[in-house]
Amino acid sequence: MLGLKLQVASSLLLLGALVAQAKYIVPGARWRDTDGELVNAHAGNVVLDNSTSKFWLFGEYKVQGQVEGGGVSVYSSDDLATWTFHGLALEPIEGHRYISPSSIIQRPKVIYSEAAGQYHMWWHADNSSYGLLLQGLATSDKIEGPYSFVDATSPLGNWSQDFGMFTDYKDGRTYALYSNGDRAEGRDVYLTSYNEEVTALDEVVHRFDKYDLEAPTILQTEKSYYALMSHKTGYRPNNVVAFRADSLSGPWSQPWIVSPLNTRTFSSQSGFTLRIDGSVKTTYLYLGDQWDSNSLWESRYIWLPIAIDDDKKTLAVEWHDVYDLDVKTGEYKTVEGKEYLATDAITNGNAFKQEANFATGGVIATGIEGNDSTVTFSGIEGTGKPQWVSFYYQNTDDMGYGDQPGGSPDRIGGSWQLRRISSVVVNGNVENVETLYQRDTHKGIILSTPLQLTLEEGVNNTITVGGLFNGFTYKGADIDKLVVYPPEA
Ligand code: GLA
């Protein structure tokens, strides 16, 4: 009896381990922590910590009504997909000169300082008008904090805005990366070495001169260094670029765009790259932010594998709707889903199918608006368990609404609505309406965005997509197809 119990217990443990393994990474989804809350750690870094054998995620903590100055949050994980919240690693202090709730506390990065025997957190420290342009330092004996504020300083007398950190895995040396602001005297990105303790900057190793880029990060392969940075469009996404060099001091190559053109890096901004030194292969992840400037606290994460060919000197960020990463071996695989094309869907009200030579089935469902002009996909196979469903869509930046607030971004004085919102209803159950945020793409550019849905077991499910108000319009984006993925183990 006892033996049986033990056996059950150990197979449960095994099952637990397997389930943990099979948790997928789903870029652009609403990521939930182990308490069911949104993962709230923006523009930070991930550290694999030796003393705890866990991954630790640090980032800007944002809640509705307090999107800056919220401090730095910290989460831990064994698989980079399941995250446990440990509260604030750096707490704002009322009335503090540099870390008050009205300060800018952005792009935090944590590393372990071997020489100091402590964890060091550095970040972009500023006042609310970005008038100080400093780098903050806080330290802790424990990785999860609490971190104590040490100082905020200007790097070798320069300005410092978007902040990044990089440690060379070959010699252990740590570097700061920072854009030095938008003034004409700035517009550079600096790469500067730290002293041994990582308590102060040492010397400038390279200056990415007048490229006017920000959100910098560096990754290192056996032969190369690649520096990734974004253009400067605030919280709106643009085409992230990379540079390559044999040595950190250069010469650095010309920059190139790292993702398919006009996807604006899959609607994300660079910020960090993580090297996973697996037992089978080394994998590099792009850890980008999908800022939502209409509600910053809802911003999401675009984490994707990076394809590098060191002989050809190329690097590209690869899109995957859903992928399965084994952090021990470094291997990852694309999860295969089942496609349902707009060609086979039924449109209702004013929604209709329109010829689109770039769409998967040659037509796209358009005119989706409110709850009467909808598109319904039927015959969808489900399992009765939560499953990821990717909605492939085109959002042409409110084409035809140029005279309204928003306007087209490809128009003089134009700006964006940033995202449309669609309603998603499974099997006609209007009691349970899911909200699908569809970021602006571009004319003829299809991107995908996921929702986790529970379909009934069998092949008779329907999914209906309508339009919800995004602050400007009730229109939903045009739909190309749905892809339904198998449940996580
Ligand atoms: C850019 C920077 C962010 C933040 C915003 C503010 O996106 O990369 O860190 O400072 O601008 O607009």
Side-chain angles (χ1 to χ4, degrees):
M1 191 60 201
L2 186 66
L4 184 68
K5 263 196 192 151
L6 276 177
Q7 217 179 354
V8 171
S10 63
S11 60
L12 275 180
L13 271 179
L14 191 67
L15 192 68
L18 285 175
V19 168
Q21 270 304 316
K23 184 95 165 52
Y24 300 148
I25 296 181
V26 188
R30 288 188 180 94
W31 291 3
R32 304 268 169 200
D33 66 15
T34 50
D35 297 326
E37 302 293 331
L38 289 177
V39 173
N40 192 341
H42 308 276
N45 76 336
V46 170
V47 193
L48 175 58
D49 176 50
N50 287 334
S51 70
T52 55
S53 304
K54 281 183 187 300
F55 292 101
W56 294 83
L57 166 68
F58 296 86
E60 299 169 21
Y61 184 73
K62 300 184 183 298
V63 291
Q64 202 165 5
Q66 171 89 41
V67 293
E68 303 291 355
V72 177
S73 51
V74 53
Y75 293 79
S76 66
S77 177
D78 294 319
D79 61 0
L80 291 176
T82 316
W83 292 99
T84 302
F85 186 48
H86 297 270
L88 290 179
L90 181 73
E91 245 185 282
I93 299 170
E94 202 67 57
H96 192 282
R97 183 145 181 227
Y98 301 112
I99 52 165
S100 86
S102 59
S103 303
I104 287 287
I105 306 169
Q106 288 182 348
R107 299 194 172 275
K109 307 286 176 286
V110 169
I111 57 123
Y112 181 67
S113 163
E114 221 44 85
Q118 271 187 325
Y119 295 90
H120 289 181
M121 177 190 288
W122 285 88
W123 69 94
H124 166 205
D126 222 320
N127 60 14
S128 57
S129 59
Y130 294 76
L132 301 176
L133 299 169
L134 304 175
Q135 296 177 355
L137 168 66
T139 60
S140 172
D141 292 333
K142 288 191 298 177
I143 187 155
E144 68 269 37
Y147 285 75
S148 313
F149 180 84
V150 176
D151 205 359
T153 51
S154 69
L156 307 178
N158 205 332
W159 296 308
S160 180
Q161 195 157 330
D162 280 10
F163 180 78
M165 260 175 121
F166 164 72
T167 301
D168 192 308
Y169 76 80
K170 290 185 181 164
D171 64 12
R173 191 88 196 247
T174 297
Y175 300 81
L177 275 156
Y178 44 99
S179 54
N180 64 345
D182 300 336
R183 290 184 228 173
E185 309 91 305
R187 301 182 186 171
D188 310 306
V189 169
Y190 276 82
L191 172 59
T192 304
S193 56
Y194 279 101
N195 63 5
E196 190 73 16
E197 289 76 29
V198 196
T199 50
L201 288 173
D202 220 358
E203 71 174 314
V204 173
V205 171
H206 183 73
R207 166 177 170 183
F208 293 88
D209 197 11
K210 303 295 171 218
Y211 281 104
D212 210 10
L213 298 169
E214 64 182 1
T217 174
I218 286 186
L219 71 83
Q220 180 183 17
T221 62
E222 193 58 45
K223 292 189 197 158
S224 301
Y225 297 91
Y226 294 88
L228 278 69
M229 302 170 202
S230 78
H231 294 84
K232 288 183 175 168
T233 46
Y235 285 120
R236 283 169 23 184
N238 56 59
N239 294 308
V240 167
V241 297
F243 302 78
R244 197 206 67 85
D246 293 332
S247 130
L248 286 172
S249 56
W252 286 86
S253 73
Q254 281 279 325
W256 69 94
I257 291 173
V258 301
S259 57
L261 290 176
N262 289 322
T263 66
R264 302 184 182 97
T265 328
F266 311 109
S267 305
S268 76
Q269 186 179 25
S270 46
F272 195 66
T273 38
L274 181 64
R275 179 174 190 275
I276 299 166
D277 193 6
S279 57
V280 176
K281 66 181 279 209
T282 304
T283 288
Y284 299 88
L285 290 186
Y286 166 86
L287 271 48
D289 292 283
Q290 186 170 77
W291 297 116
D292 187 323
S293 56
N294 292 353
S295 46
L296 215 49
W297 60 276
E298 284 188 283
S299 297
R300 302 188 190 180
Y301 311 94
I302 301 288
W303 288 13
L304 289 167
I306 302 174
I308 297 170
D309 187 329
D310 257 335
D311 296 327
K312 293 192 180 133
K313 305 181 173 175
T314 59
L315 171 153
V317 175
E318 286 176 1
W319 179 259
H320 297 266
D321 285 346
V322 177
Y323 61 100
D324 192 1
L325 172 71
D326 183 329
V327 296
K328 294 279 180 287
T329 65
E331 296 164 299
Y332 62 88
K333 56 175 194 290
T334 307
V335 177
E336 297 296 331
K338 201 166 168 190
E339 283 191 353
Y340 300 89
L341 305 191
T343 328
D344 305 318
I346 291 165
T347 52
N348 314 289
N350 295 327
F352 66 103
K353 296 179 207 171
Q354 187 176 17
E355 176 184 321
N357 60 14
F358 51 86
T360 311
V363 298
I364 202 159
T366 188
I368 296 168
E369 188 164 8
N371 55 19
D372 48 10
S373 295
T374 60
V375 56
T376 298
F377 293 79
S378 50
I380 298 175
E381 190 172 346
T383 59
K385 296 184 200 139
Q387 287 177 259
W388 289 105
V389 179
S390 283
F391 293 75
Y392 280 70
Y393 72 96
Q394 171 195 235
N395 176 350
T396 53
D397 310 315
D398 60 315
M399 187 162 57
Y401 278 75
D403 56 340
Q404 291 196 2
S408 166
D410 290 334
R411 184 179 192 285
I412 291 172
S415 60
W416 293 356
Q417 296 183 8
L418 194 80
R419 52 168 162 76
R420 293 187 186 181
I421 305 177
S422 279
S423 59
V424 173
V425 167
V426 173
N427 296 326
N429 179 10
V430 292
E431 299 294 302
N432 189 8
V433 178
E434 298 279 349
T435 53
L436 182 72
Y437 286 28
Q438 297 152 316
R439 308 286 306 228
D440 288 348
T441 59
H442 216 293
K443 294 168 183 69
I445 298 295
I446 291 175
L447 292 178
S448 74
T449 187
L451 271 185
Q452 201 172 35
L453 300 176
T454 303
L455 303 163
E456 277 167 27
E457 196 174 347
V459 294
N460 286 323
N461 292 279
T462 65
I463 294 179
T464 300
V465 184
L468 291 171
F469 193 56
N470 70 347
F472 302 94
T473 175
Y474 281 89
K475 285 182 170 239
D478 305 334
I479 302 284
D480 171 40
K481 67 179 173 194
L482 313 186
V483 183
V484 179
Y485 290 94
E488 293 170 340

